[in-house]
Amino acid sequence: MAGGAFVAHGGGRIYEGKVTLFVVITCLVAATGGLIFGYDIGVSGGVTSMPQFLTKFFPSVLDKMNDKTRHETEYCKFDSQKLTLFTSSLYLAALVASFFASVVTRAFGRKISMLFGGLVFLFGALLNGFATNIEMLIIGRLLLGIGVGFANQAVPVYLSEMAPAKIRGALNMCFQMAITIGILAAGLINYGTAKIESGNGWRISLGLAAVPALIMAIGSLCLPDTPNSILERGNAEKAKKMLQKIRGTDNVEEEFQDLLDATEAAKRVEHPWRNILQPQYRPQLVICILVPFFQQLTGINVIMFYAPVLFKTLGFGDDASLMSAVITGGVNVLATFVSIYCADRFGRRALFLEGGGQMLISQILVGVMIALKFGVNGDGELSKFDADFILFLICVYVAAFAWSWGPLGWLVPSEICPLEIRSAGQAINVSVNMLFTFIIAQVFLSMLCHMKFGLVFFFAVFVVIMTFFVAFFVPETKNVPIEEMNAVWKAHWFWSRYIPDDAVIGGNNNRKSSDA
């Protein structure tokens, strides 16, 4: 692993080059891979709240909602394992697909993974749109999951490798921005299609997932491969020309040499999955596991998946629940701009810590409001002021996530791994994310039924834990070239014990020897 000069507080080797229009456009196109993930997150909760969709595929849920003779608590009226399987099955498929995507991404390049993911997602969207039975619906969801697994594996790595260090955070967060735009678009489409009198609005909502899939597939055909990926496959001259193009200068010798050193080190690693378990990669392994774990245990996907269902549970009407989901989706998009602006100026840790505190306060207030208004039995109703205040608190919570754990949960794991374990590290990041997304999506409605308002406090406890984790164990990585990241770990009070000295300075020593 190449080393180099390192300033402990937010800096590293300064390479020659500038921020080119080519690299900005390239990263924006690649980031559209987030649209498929975001659209699916937003669309599932909307269609599962549509009576026509429930009549077609989940009539028992609708019967339970409409049966006035049942003494069903408000917390439990959507509790159905089959209904939650519709949402969660996608993420189980994405979990499995991420491991295959790791191999494809390393062997054939990042853009091939994006292309494959877009095409599979396209077929899944069409199958869902034309579904006539629950089997077609679930198979379609599984195909969507494969597409998401490949996209989430390839896109963050692609962005981190293409972007200059000083704006890596902003360009990488375009992926999260695309996710939030997809969520908002799905919310708006659900709001419109729910009003279609024929009752087939849900088909349009599900079928329109083909649009972001096409955008991603066509966009990937136009993308160049990253210099890192080209070097990985043995074409040094082509990689150097690509690096010159994306940096806007012919003088890329220093950065190219670092990439070359890292690639040669990576080629000596025959088993990246076994290698990432070695002590010197302990910091990367732990963070690639715990960051996506904590990202899901914030409880954000409870809001994003089930916003219309959740708002209906809290007493909002059909239209009001869908519109509330649109409002939270809009806040999600706007708040992501804050992260894009701040991540490379104030650093990752500042956003992590502020976001954690803001989420905790809003969660506690929401939990108290629900407890006071609905109690344990779920009997109660919200005044207009109460409903508006809860919606405001949820928007505060969504905003905090959108400028902290949302984008940083994808950025930090993608930028901390050296090339020899990068594909394995990102596969772990995606698979852990998908595993806990699946678990929460599958059990949330049952947890809501049994834990009632206590569910909000359950997630709040994890927000406390993860904020302390960041404070003590996540170092600042802003403006540090990804091939210089070992110096960050070596300077850390805890992780330094795992990093051998030659992992930091070996690259420079080797270069001096060759120069001599």
Side-chain angles (χ1 to χ4, degrees):
M1 173 92 185
F6 175 75
V7 180
H9 298 286
R13 184 191 298 280
I14 305 300
Y15 295 124
E16 186 79 17
K18 57 187 178 181
V19 179
T20 62
L21 182 63
F22 175 75
V23 77
V24 171
I25 292 174
T26 296
C27 288
L28 289 176
V29 172
T32 59
L35 288 174
I36 66 173
F37 190 29
Y39 187 87
D40 182 79
I41 290 174
V43 80
S44 57
V47 297
T48 52
S49 71
M50 295 181 187
Q52 301 91 340
F53 178 80
L54 295 175
T55 300
K56 179 74 174 177
F57 296 106
F58 307 99
S60 61
V61 176
L62 197 62
D63 291 342
K64 184 167 67 172
M65 291 172 56
N66 295 331
D67 189 352
K68 302 301 182 183
T69 65
R70 294 173 65 103
H71 299 287
E72 196 77 70
T73 172
E74 288 293 305
Y75 294 117
C76 298
K77 62 184 179 180
F78 283 96
D79 185 19
S80 166
Q81 290 300 303
K82 189 181 290 187
L83 179 63
T84 52
L85 183 62
F86 164 73
T87 298
S88 64
S89 58
L90 181 150
Y91 302 97
L92 189 60
L95 164 64
V96 176
S98 64
F99 292 100
F100 293 97
S102 169
V103 176
V104 173
T105 300
R106 187 176 188 188
F108 301 104
R110 288 56 166 147
K111 60 178 289 182
I112 294 298
S113 284
M114 287 186 265
L115 174 61
F116 181 78
L119 292 176
V120 175
F121 195 94
L122 173 63
F123 288 124
L126 295 175
L127 195 59
N128 272 182
F130 290 105
T132 57
N133 53 55
I134 191 70
E135 289 78 16
M136 286 182 67
L137 198 66
I138 297 301
I139 291 171
R141 295 288 294 175
L142 294 175
L143 291 175
L144 295 179
I146 293 172
V148 166
F150 272 80
N152 288 5
Q153 164 73 21
V155 173
V157 170
Y158 184 95
L159 294 172
S160 289
E161 291 180 345
M162 289 293 281
K166 60 185 176 182
I167 62 164
R168 185 176 63 242
L171 288 181
N172 196 294
M173 285 176 186
C174 290
F175 178 66
Q176 177 68 16
M177 175 60 69
I179 293 175
T180 63
I181 291 172
I183 293 171
L184 177 59
L188 289 168
I189 289 168
N190 282 336
Y191 185 74
T193 57
K195 300 178 181 299
I196 295 176
E197 294 182 1
S198 68
N200 286 323
W202 62 269
R203 291 191 183 277
I204 297 174
S205 290
L206 295 178
L208 282 177
V211 175
L214 278 172
I215 292 173
M216 177 179 167
I218 295 172
S220 65
L221 291 174
C222 304
L223 292 176
D225 245 328
T226 68
N228 312 63
S229 180
I230 297 170
L231 271 175
E232 246 181 345
R233 286 173 285 139
N235 196 330
E237 190 60 34
K238 184 179 178 181
K240 186 173 184 179
K241 289 180 179 178
M242 179 55 63
L243 186 62
Q244 290 171 335
K245 186 173 184 180
I246 65 178
R247 298 294 181 254
T249 178
D250 290 335
N251 187 15
V252 295
E253 293 299 330
E254 191 171 22
E255 182 175 6
F256 182 72
Q257 186 60 50
D258 276 350
L259 292 178
L260 196 60
D261 291 344
T263 303
E264 289 173 355
K267 285 181 177 179
R268 292 193 293 270
V269 178
E270 296 181 2
H271 306 287
W273 286 99
R274 187 186 304 166
N275 205 53
I276 200 172
L277 298 176
Q278 294 180 9
Q280 72 184 77
Y281 301 115
R282 191 63 46 78
Q284 292 93 333
L285 177 63
V286 170
I287 287 182
C288 283
I289 291 173
L290 288 185
V291 166
F293 167 77
F294 284 134
Q295 186 192 54
Q296 295 312 305
L297 268 295
T298 60
I300 186 63
N301 280 336
V302 169
I303 304 297
M304 295 296 106
F305 290 154
Y306 297 114
V309 171
L310 182 61
F311 287 125
K312 285 183 75 171
T313 298
L314 295 176
F316 291 65
D318 289 348
D319 282 354
S321 65
L322 288 169
M323 180 49 68
S324 298
V326 171
I327 292 171
T328 56
V331 170
N332 200 16
V333 172
L334 294 175
T336 303
F337 282 107
V338 176
S339 188
I340 291 174
Y341 178 81
C342 293
D344 292 316
R345 289 172 173 81
F346 305 111
R348 284 62 159 149
R349 282 170 50 84
L351 289 175
F352 268 135
L353 296 173
E354 191 284 332
Q358 185 173 321
M359 283 190 291
L360 178 63
I361 293 170
S362 57
Q363 282 175 311
I364 291 173
L365 292 175
V366 167
V368 170
M369 283 285 293
I370 296 175
L372 291 175
K373 294 299 176 179
F374 292 94
V376 175
N377 296 325
D379 298 325
E381 60 183 26
L382 297 175
S383 66
K384 186 178 186 306
F385 173 80
D386 294 334
D388 289 343
F389 186 56
I390 286 180
L391 178 59
F392 167 75
L393 291 175
I394 290 176
C395 287
V396 170
Y397 165 81
V398 169
F401 178 86
W403 64 54
S404 62
W405 280 87
L408 296 177
W410 293 107
L411 169 61
V412 172
S414 73
E415 70 181 357
I416 62 172
C417 292
L419 188 61
E420 61 266 25
I421 61 164
R422 191 168 299 154
S423 60
Q426 184 63 7
I428 291 171
N429 177 37
V430 173
S431 61
V432 171
N433 190 299
M434 294 300 107
L435 174 62
F436 285 94
T437 301
F438 164 75
I439 291 172
I440 290 173
Q442 185 63 35
V443 305
F444 162 66
L445 293 178
S446 291
M447 291 176 71
L448 178 62
C449 180
H450 292 91
M451 297 178 68
K452 304 173 175 58
F453 62 82
L455 181 60
V456 180
F457 299 115
F458 169 82
F459 288 119
V461 169
F462 280 96
V463 172
V464 173
I465 295 171
M466 68 198 219
T467 302
F468 275 101
F469 171 74
V470 168
F472 290 101
F473 296 104
V474 177
E476 183 56 67
T477 56
K478 73 167 185 173
N479 298 335
V480 180
I482 56 177
E483 306 307 335
E484 300 289 323
M485 205 62 71
N486 262 3
V488 174
W489 307 113
K490 192 62 179 175
H492 191 267
W493 72 273
F494 181 80
W495 299 122
S496 60
R497 69 190 69 182
Y498 294 102
I499 309 300
D501 291 339
D502 60 1
V504 178
I505 63 174
N508 276 347
N509 286 345
N510 290 340
R511 188 176 308 147
K512 288 176 182 177
S513 298
S514 63
D515 290 344

